[in-house]
């Protein structure tokens, strides 16, 4: 009797799990959401959706350039806006306003911020067939820009 009851409960749980799993679908536009580490392994960002746009915030960066100054204490000292120079780098949005374009399967019309220079650049992003996130920062024309690769962090 106990074995039948246990087996019934197990089957019920498996059915519930399979129903929930079948209803989970990731929209093509949301495939960039998640944690990503740069190819150079010098930073990790979290890409997330905010309304209809996508943003990324800085979660971690290699702070070996100044070992006496941990990353948690570093601020946005190069920002051209004096009022923003005291904000922490960790948790700061470094990518904003990307919008998904289904026709090209890419994210376009964003702005990327380079805290090392204090400059903002136009940006776009795409995913390769291998799953690499390619983010391009550029000034008006993409062919003038620089592309960084990122790999998903589990």
């Amino acid at each position: 009797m106990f074995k039948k009851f246990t087996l019934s409960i197990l089957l019920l749980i498996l059915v519930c799990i399979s129903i929930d799993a079948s209803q989970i679908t990731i929209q093509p536009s949301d495939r960039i959401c998640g944690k990503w580490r740069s190819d150079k392994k010098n930073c990790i960002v979290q890409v997330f959706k905010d309304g209809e746009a996508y943003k990324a915030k800085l979660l971690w960066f290699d702070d070996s350039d100044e070992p006496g100054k941990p990353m948690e204490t570093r601020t946005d000292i190069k920002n051209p806006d004096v009022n923003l120079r005291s904000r922490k780098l960790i948790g700061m949005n470094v990518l904003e306003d990307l919008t998904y374009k289904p026709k090209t399967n890419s994210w376009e019309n964003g702005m990327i911020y380079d805290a090392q220079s204090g400059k903002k650049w136009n940006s776009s992003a795409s995913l390769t067939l291998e799953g690499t996130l390619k983010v391009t920062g550029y000034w008006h024309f993409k062919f003038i820009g620089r592309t960084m690769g990122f790999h998903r962090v589990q």
Side-chain angles (χ1 to χ4, degrees):
M1 171 85 168
F2 182 72
K3 286 182 182 181
K4 285 183 181 179
F5 178 74
T6 305
L7 184 59
S8 297
I9 294 294
L10 242 126
L11 286 173
L12 181 61
I13 290 170
L14 286 173
V15 167
C16 289
I17 289 172
S18 66
I19 289 172
D20 286 342
S22 69
Q23 293 178 0
I24 296 173
T25 57
I26 296 175
Q27 297 295 322
S29 58
D30 292 342
R31 290 177 297 139
I32 63 169
C33 292
K35 291 181 185 178
W36 298 87
R37 182 178 56 213
S38 68
D39 282 346
K40 293 182 179 179
K41 298 183 180 174
N42 61 357
C43 71
I44 296 176
V45 296
Q46 172 82 43
V47 178
F48 60 98
K49 190 172 185 176
D50 184 19
E52 292 301 311
Y54 294 85
K55 298 180 177 184
K57 64 181 174 180
L58 186 62
L59 298 180
W60 175 88
F61 63 90
D62 179 5
D63 61 354
S64 62
D65 60 329
E66 287 186 60
K69 194 169 185 181
M71 78 177 91
E72 296 83 16
T73 65
R74 306 239 186 140
T75 58
D76 191 13
I77 59 172
K78 301 272 178 123
N79 198 304
D81 183 343
V82 177
N83 297 319
L84 296 177
R85 290 182 183 166
S86 62
R87 71 178 172 171
K88 301 269 187 204
L89 293 178
I90 295 296
M92 177 178 70
N93 285 347
V94 291
L95 183 63
E96 296 185 326
D97 301 327
L98 279 176
T99 53
Y100 182 66
K101 304 295 182 194
K103 210 173 207 180
T104 58
N105 195 29
S106 63
W107 294 261
E108 304 290 338
N109 304 318
M111 293 300 290
I112 193 165
Y113 177 69
D114 176 15
Q116 291 179 329
S117 68
K119 294 182 180 178
K120 281 189 173 184
W121 306 92
N122 300 89
S123 66
S124 65
S126 62
L127 283 171
T128 67
L129 293 175
E130 297 80 29
T132 300
L133 177 62
K134 297 288 187 177
V135 179
T136 302
Y138 59 95
W139 186 69
H140 297 293
F141 305 101
K142 286 184 191 177
F143 65 87
I144 299 175
R146 189 179 103 201
T147 300
M148 290 179 63
F150 290 83
H151 295 278
R152 193 175 293 277
V153 176
Q154 297 303 327

